Amino acid sequence: MSPQSDLQSPPALPKGGLRIVPLGGLGEIGRNMTVFEHRGRLLIVDIGVLFPEEHQPGVDVILPDFTWIRDRLDKIDAIVLTHGHEDHIGGVPYLLRERADIPVIGSELTLAFIEAKLKEHRIKPKTVQVKEGDRRTVGNFDLEFVAVNHSIPDALAVAIRTQAGLVLHTGDFKMDQFPLDRRITDLRAFARLGEEGVDLFMTDSTNAEVPGFTMAERDLIPAIDTVFRTAPRRIIVSSFASHVHRIQQVLDAAHQHGRKVAFVGRSMVRNMGIARDLGYLNVPRGLLVDFKQLEGMPDHKVTVVATGSQGEPMAALARMASGDHVIQIGEGDTVLLASSLIPGNENAIYRVINGLTRLGANVVHKGNAKVHVSGHASAGELVYCYNVVRPRNVMPVHGEWRHLRTNADLAIETGVEPDRVVLAEDGSVVDLVDGKASITGKVPAGLVYVDGMTVGKITEESLSDRRALSEDGVVTIVALIDPETGLLTEEPDFLARGFAHEASYEALIPIIEQALAKAAADGVREFSQIERQLERAVSRWFQRGSRRSSPVIIPVVIEA
């Protein structure tokens, strides 16, 4: 059951076999992407993004690594999207930049979200709309779509039939028996597929550690109603821009308590407009107002729905917390954080909560009120599904390592043989051959960083430099040298930024002279090589002298 991280490139796929390669989403929350290969053709399920953590400064989003499929883009039959959350669709534009005519298959709302996103990238996709119960043949893959309940409408599981066997991929799902849209997870379809024989069951692991069953969305209504009933001034709600169900609850509460609602944030305005136009969001007449209209309204009549529930520094809520937003938070305002806490974002979120509290706001979040419920199946639901489907092989997906392993243990407890539970990681190659799934190799599946318009140019080394700059500052050394001797012609200049050094930089001059003399003695004449030797020598001096990590050293050697 253990992953084999030391595996090399996989062997050729046996004739008639099915290869499954997760390029993201295993060992992390986000960046979900799985590639299926059968008889020379490829099918992709989801292409999501991962949001950066504090140790990744300057990064906007993180993509899956397309290296393994880049030279076979012409072999991709389709991209299947299970639902419209960013961690499942956010990476689609970046693959379509490389081949724009790949068909994109998804439900109505999911396609509407991705089409709006692709419009910003100036890509017009080839889309195929499906709904639960539909079957589509795409190249070598026979696809059947099954309704599942999640924290966004129109989510789908997908059954993939090939000559190698039947795979059931749940996507993100839970089993809320009283969903707001009355669209439950179709366990009858799961059971029917189980009777047919599911050769590989790929199951959402995010909540595998949580015992029992996930709370129903409707159970949040009392807590949200309490916020709206008791808040003395403005209410600012922060949520994911695609969380239609939660926004519906907020709109209903605002309408009931006589408040107007304004959406803030480009993605929030865009997505809620799409959901309303397609009928997934019911907006009472006259409830929504333009943000600018709020200025002339009494505070107790105002509700703002904004982005930033994960503490993103440029999102509306973080800017409010720092006082850098047109909405100035004050005493008596109520801020409702109506989203989960994504692992890795805790510090950023608590920083925003503290900032809002310092400004006088009452911050209501999942830690002190029942204002959020997960969109993922807990352990009881996963066990229920294993018992209904009775799969031959199981591969936990979507989650950190602890989630994947716990999900694997649940499958074993229901009777799945341990050697048929595949605990894979990003880049693992899983082959389904003759009814048995096993890891046979590994392909590149690193983190691909997006910084503005730059994709994949940021490396771990450059991130390390950014962290050093932010933590230790930078010292630039300008050295004029004699082109004949390679030695200093005058004392070097020192320019420090973000680095406090008590001693004089004069003590560095002998270090620089020694490094230049050694370079000259070794016959080093290239300025770039001389600068590298200077950098090493000066860095060692700082580390010895300050007993801390040294600043970034930038030597500039100029011919006198």
Side-chain angles (χ1 to χ4, degrees):
M1 191 175 74
S2 297
Q4 302 173 51
S5 301
D6 57 344
L7 284 173
Q8 301 302 311
S9 297
L13 177 63
K15 186 177 180 180
L18 174 66
R19 176 159 287 172
I20 303 101
V21 181
L23 294 179
L26 273 66
E28 62 206 353
I29 303 292
R31 212 169 63 109
N32 299 289
M33 178 179 180
T34 307
V35 181
F36 295 83
E37 179 182 356
H38 182 58
R39 295 170 59 198
R41 305 297 296 181
L42 305 178
L43 177 77
I44 297 174
V45 174
D46 292 330
I47 310 176
V49 295
L50 180 68
F51 293 103
E53 298 182 23
E54 289 183 324
H55 65 275
Q56 296 159 327
V59 174
D60 296 323
V61 293
I62 305 169
L63 299 173
D65 187 348
F66 300 149
T67 301
W68 183 63
I69 60 172
R70 185 160 279 123
D71 62 350
R72 295 188 294 164
L73 296 178
D74 60 320
K75 305 295 185 184
I76 301 173
D77 285 325
I79 300 168
V80 174
L81 301 178
T82 58
H83 64 282
H85 280 150
E86 282 294 299
D87 59 336
H88 290 257
I89 70 170
V92 172
Y94 298 93
L95 186 62
L96 292 190
R97 281 183 187 180
E98 303 190 33
R99 185 191 149 197
D101 66 340
I102 302 173
V104 180
I105 303 174
S107 61
E108 181 182 43
L109 184 64
T110 304
L111 290 184
F113 280 175
I114 193 60
E115 285 169 351
K117 179 179 291 291
L118 289 169
K119 189 175 182 180
E120 296 177 359
H121 288 260
R122 298 180 180 177
I123 298 173
K124 186 171 178 57
K126 179 181 179 182
T127 58
V128 180
Q129 183 175 313
V130 294
K131 63 182 184 304
E132 55 265 32
D134 285 355
R135 283 185 73 164
R136 291 281 191 282
T137 299
V138 180
N140 296 326
F141 305 92
D142 176 3
L143 310 177
E144 179 180 350
F145 299 93
V146 179
V148 291
N149 176 241
H150 187 38
S151 55
I152 185 173
D154 249 8
L156 295 169
V158 57
I160 305 169
R161 293 178 176 87
T162 68
Q163 290 181 352
L166 168 60
V167 176
L168 177 55
H169 191 308
T170 66
D172 285 352
F173 86 111
K174 60 179 177 177
M175 288 165 51
D176 189 341
Q177 299 303 300
F178 304 100
L180 300 181
D181 60 2
R182 301 184 181 278
R183 184 176 177 272
I184 64 173
T185 294
D186 191 352
L187 291 177
R188 295 173 65 189
F190 276 30
R192 174 174 50 78
L193 292 166
E195 289 298 320
E196 181 180 336
V198 172
D199 295 285
L200 180 62
F201 195 25
M202 301 175 68
T203 50
D204 177 11
S205 305
T206 310
N207 259 10
E209 287 187 312
V210 180
F213 283 64
T214 300
M215 190 170 70
E217 288 277 349
R218 73 176 188 179
D219 291 343
L220 302 183
I221 294 174
I224 294 175
D225 181 74
T226 298
V227 169
F228 277 82
R229 181 165 37 83
T230 60
R233 293 188 63 211
R234 297 174 300 180
I235 297 176
I236 295 92
V237 179
S238 183
S239 176
F240 292 125
S242 55
H243 203 334
V244 179
H245 291 324
R246 194 61 40 77
I247 303 304
Q248 183 67 67
Q249 291 174 311
V250 169
L251 295 184
D252 292 343
H255 181 61
Q256 182 180 350
H257 292 277
R259 289 177 177 263
K260 298 295 184 181
V261 177
F263 292 131
V264 175
R266 183 170 54 88
S267 58
M268 180 68 73
V269 172
R270 180 192 68 198
N271 286 354
M272 292 307 110
I274 292 170
R276 178 187 58 194
D277 293 344
L278 294 177
Y280 292 93
L281 189 68
N282 177 33
V283 182
R285 185 183 299 275
L287 178 67
L288 288 183
V289 297
D290 186 83
F291 175 65
K292 294 178 181 178
Q293 293 178 249
L294 298 181
E295 294 180 3
M297 297 177 60
D299 285 346
H300 68 281
K301 294 291 185 181
V302 170
T303 299
V304 175
V305 179
T307 54
S309 61
Q310 296 304 306
E312 307 95 311
M314 295 308 295
L317 195 65
R319 290 167 55 206
M320 291 179 204
S322 63
D324 183 30
H325 195 274
V326 65
I327 296 177
Q328 295 292 306
I329 299 296
E331 197 72 37
D333 285 336
T334 299
V335 177
L336 171 60
L337 298 181
S339 291
S340 62
L341 227 141
I342 293 180
N345 293 353
E346 294 92 343
N347 290 340
I349 296 169
Y350 289 131
R351 186 161 51 245
V352 168
I353 291 174
N354 285 322
L356 294 166
T357 304
R358 182 177 61 83
L359 294 171
N362 172 35
V363 184
V364 181
H365 54 90
K366 67 174 293 185
N368 58 24
K370 284 187 177 181
V371 291
H372 173 72
V373 58
S374 175
H376 303 272
S378 296
E381 292 153 273
L382 293 172
V383 168
Y384 199 102
C385 287
Y386 287 132
N387 285 330
V388 166
V389 175
R390 287 294 177 190
R392 296 188 177 96
N393 300 271
V394 168
M395 178 176 166
V397 295
H398 303 172
E400 296 182 334
W401 264 108
R402 55 198 173 95
H403 307 130
L404 299 175
R405 185 169 290 279
T406 302
N407 196 0
D409 291 340
L410 293 175
I412 293 170
E413 285 184 43
T414 65
V416 181
E417 293 295 329
D419 65 342
R420 288 182 174 267
V421 177
V422 179
L423 195 56
E425 60 188 351
D426 291 346
S428 294
V429 176
V430 179
D431 288 346
L432 178 64
V433 179
D434 297 329
K436 178 74 184 296
S438 57
I439 298 176
T440 61
K442 195 169 180 62
V443 300
L447 303 177
V448 177
Y449 300 106
V450 178
D451 182 356
M453 298 300 292
T454 302
V455 180
K457 302 298 183 183
I458 301 173
T459 63
E460 291 297 337
E461 182 180 358
S462 59
L463 282 179
S464 177
D465 287 344
R466 289 183 179 187
R467 288 191 291 270
L469 283 167
S470 67
E471 295 169 2
D472 302 317
V474 59
V475 174
T476 302
I477 302 168
V478 181
L480 272 68
I481 66 170
D482 186 310
E484 298 297 328
T485 65
L487 304 179
L488 288 173
T489 60
E490 59 183 78
E491 288 190 357
D493 291 326
F494 299 93
L495 179 64
R497 288 287 183 271
F499 177 74
H501 183 58
E502 296 177 359
S504 168
Y505 286 107
E506 288 183 7
L508 260 177
I509 296 175
I511 304 298
I512 294 170
E513 290 175 335
Q514 291 171 17
L516 290 173
K518 185 177 187 308
D522 293 343
V524 178
R525 291 289 181 263
E526 290 287 335
F527 279 11
S528 60
Q529 295 181 32
I530 296 173
E531 287 170 350
R532 280 197 292 273
Q533 291 198 17
L534 278 178
E535 179 188 355
R536 286 195 291 268
V538 173
S539 291
R540 284 196 297 268
W541 182 85
F542 271 114
Q543 288 168 353
R544 287 196 303 268
S546 61
R547 296 183 181 179
R548 52 167 284 177
S549 53
S550 72
V552 173
I553 308 299
I554 303 179
V556 180
V557 175
I558 302 174
E559 188 177 295

